[in-house]
Amino acid sequence: MKSRILSDYSMMPKGEGRSRLVAIDVCDDGPGIDKEELDHLFTPFYTTKSKGTGLGLAICQKIIAEHRGMIRVDSEPGKGTAFTVMLPLVQ
Ligand SMILES: Nc1ncnc2c1ncn2[C@@H]1O[C@H](COP(=O)(O)OP(=O)(O)OP(=O)(O)O)[C@@H](O)[C@H]1O
Ligand SMILES: [Mg+2]
Protein backbone atom coordinates (compact mmCIF):
# COMPACT_ATOMS: atom_id res chain seq x y z
CA MET A 1 0.00 0.00 0.00
CA LYS A 2 1.30 3.42 -0.94
CA SER A 3 -0.14 6.87 -0.41
CA ARG A 4 0.66 10.12 -2.18
CA ILE A 5 -0.69 13.65 -2.49
CA LEU A 6 -1.89 14.89 -5.89
CA SER A 7 -1.65 18.65 -5.63
CA ASP A 8 -3.20 19.68 -8.96
CA TYR A 9 -5.56 16.95 -10.10
CA SER A 10 -8.21 17.56 -12.74
CA MET A 11 -10.67 15.11 -14.28
CA MET A 12 -11.51 17.55 -17.05
CA PRO A 13 -9.57 17.91 -20.29
CA LYS A 14 -9.06 21.68 -20.03
CA GLY A 15 -7.84 21.43 -16.49
CA GLU A 16 -10.90 23.00 -14.84
CA GLY A 17 -11.87 21.94 -11.35
CA ARG A 18 -8.38 21.32 -10.10
CA SER A 19 -8.19 20.00 -6.60
CA ARG A 20 -5.88 18.48 -4.07
CA LEU A 21 -6.38 14.81 -3.45
CA VAL A 22 -4.83 12.10 -1.42
CA ALA A 23 -4.36 8.91 -3.44
CA ILE A 24 -3.94 5.49 -1.89
CA ASP A 25 -2.77 2.62 -4.08
CA VAL A 26 -3.42 -0.97 -3.11
CA CYS A 27 -1.58 -3.37 -5.40
CA ASP A 28 -1.38 -7.13 -5.66
CA ASP A 29 0.38 -9.70 -7.79
CA GLY A 30 -2.70 -11.92 -8.11
CA PRO A 31 -4.34 -13.28 -11.27
CA GLY A 32 -5.35 -9.88 -12.63
CA ILE A 33 -8.73 -9.02 -14.16
CA ASP A 34 -9.57 -9.24 -17.85
CA LYS A 35 -11.09 -6.36 -19.80
CA GLU A 36 -14.72 -7.56 -19.93
CA GLU A 37 -14.67 -8.28 -16.21
CA LEU A 38 -13.41 -4.77 -15.39
CA ASP A 39 -16.76 -3.33 -16.58
CA HIS A 40 -18.65 -5.30 -13.91
CA LEU A 41 -16.38 -5.00 -10.91
CA PHE A 42 -18.36 -2.31 -9.11
CA THR A 43 -21.79 -3.74 -10.00
CA PRO A 44 -23.56 -4.95 -6.84
CA PHE A 45 -23.67 -8.78 -6.57
CA TYR A 46 -21.12 -9.30 -9.34
CA THR A 47 -18.76 -11.97 -8.06
CA THR A 48 -16.56 -14.75 -9.42
CA LYS A 49 -16.12 -16.34 -5.99
CA SER A 50 -18.20 -19.34 -4.92
CA LYS A 51 -19.02 -17.68 -1.61
CA GLY A 52 -18.56 -14.03 -2.49
CA THR A 53 -21.37 -11.52 -2.02
CA GLY A 54 -20.14 -9.30 -4.84
CA LEU A 55 -20.76 -6.34 -2.56
CA GLY A 56 -17.21 -5.52 -1.46
CA LEU A 57 -16.28 -3.15 -4.26
CA ALA A 58 -19.81 -1.77 -4.74
CA ILE A 59 -19.86 -0.72 -1.07
CA CYS A 60 -16.32 0.71 -1.28
CA GLN A 61 -17.31 2.79 -4.30
CA LYS A 62 -20.44 4.10 -2.57
CA ILE A 63 -18.59 5.11 0.60
CA ILE A 64 -15.82 6.79 -1.40
CA ALA A 65 -18.36 8.66 -3.58
CA GLU A 66 -20.10 9.92 -0.41
CA HIS A 67 -16.75 11.47 0.53
CA ARG A 68 -16.55 13.05 -2.92
CA GLY A 69 -13.74 10.75 -3.95
CA MET A 70 -13.28 8.10 -6.57
CA ILE A 71 -11.89 4.62 -6.96
CA ARG A 72 -10.18 3.27 -10.02
CA VAL A 73 -8.71 -0.02 -11.04
CA ASP A 74 -5.83 -0.87 -13.27
CA SER A 75 -5.14 -4.51 -14.00
CA GLU A 76 -3.10 -6.74 -16.21
CA PRO A 77 -4.18 -10.38 -16.48
CA GLY A 78 -1.47 -12.68 -15.22
CA LYS A 79 0.41 -9.85 -13.53
CA GLY A 80 -1.75 -8.23 -10.92
CA THR A 81 -4.16 -5.47 -10.00
CA ALA A 82 -3.90 -2.00 -8.55
CA PHE A 83 -6.83 -0.16 -6.97
CA THR A 84 -6.46 3.56 -6.36
CA VAL A 85 -8.68 5.44 -3.92
CA MET A 86 -8.66 9.22 -4.32
CA LEU A 87 -10.17 11.51 -1.72
CA PRO A 88 -10.28 15.30 -1.41
CA LEU A 89 -7.43 16.45 0.77
CA VAL A 90 -8.48 18.37 3.87
CA GLN A 91 -5.61 20.08 5.70
N1 LIG B 1 -7.64 -7.71 -6.51
C1 LIG B 1 -8.39 -8.44 -7.35
N2 LIG B 1 -7.83 -9.29 -8.25
C2 LIG B 1 -8.60 -10.01 -9.09
N3 LIG B 1 -9.95 -9.95 -9.14
C3 LIG B 1 -10.55 -9.14 -8.27
C4 LIG B 1 -9.83 -8.34 -7.33
N4 LIG B 1 -10.70 -7.61 -6.60
C5 LIG B 1 -11.91 -7.93 -7.06
N5 LIG B 1 -11.84 -8.85 -8.06
C6 LIG B 1 -12.96 -9.42 -8.81
O1 LIG B 1 -14.09 -8.59 -8.63
C7 LIG B 1 -15.18 -9.36 -8.13
C8 LIG B 1 -16.05 -8.46 -7.26
O2 LIG B 1 -15.32 -8.08 -6.09
P1 LIG B 1 -16.11 -7.66 -4.79
O3 LIG B 1 -15.11 -7.33 -3.74
O4 LIG B 1 -17.14 -6.63 -5.13
O5 LIG B 1 -16.93 -8.95 -4.40
P2 LIG B 1 -16.34 -10.35 -3.92
O6 LIG B 1 -14.93 -10.16 -3.42
O7 LIG B 1 -16.57 -11.35 -5.01
O8 LIG B 1 -17.27 -10.71 -2.72
P3 LIG B 1 -17.05 -10.26 -1.19
O9 LIG B 1 -16.81 -8.78 -1.24
O10 LIG B 1 -18.30 -10.67 -0.51
O11 LIG B 1 -15.85 -11.01 -0.68
C9 LIG B 1 -14.52 -10.53 -7.43
O12 LIG B 1 -15.38 -11.63 -7.35
C10 LIG B 1 -13.33 -10.82 -8.33
O13 LIG B 1 -13.73 -11.54 -9.48
MG1 LIG C 1 -14.28 -8.52 -2.17
Side-chain angles (χ1 to χ4, degrees), residues 15-85:
E16 310 115 75
R18 290 177 190 280
S19 59
R20 284 192 302 170
L21 301 173
V22 59
I24 299 126
D25 301 307
V26 182
C27 309
D28 67 48
D29 55 2
I33 303 167
D34 59 39
K35 266 195 159 188
E36 304 86 78
E37 205 187 334
L38 282 178
D39 296 337
H40 308 292
L41 280 202
F42 297 98
T43 304
F45 306 111
Y46 174 81
T47 184
T48 57
K49 298 178 185 171
S50 55
K51 285 186 180 161
T53 64
L55 288 174
L57 287 171
I59 291 171
C60 288
Q61 189 181 50
K62 182 141 196 336
I63 292 170
I64 293 160
E66 281 171 5
H67 291 274
R68 289 189 291 127
M70 56 206 142
I71 179 167
R72 2 177 99 172
V73 57
D74 184 31
S75 187
E76 213 176 311
K79 292 214 166 154
T81 302
F83 284 92
T84 302
V85 175

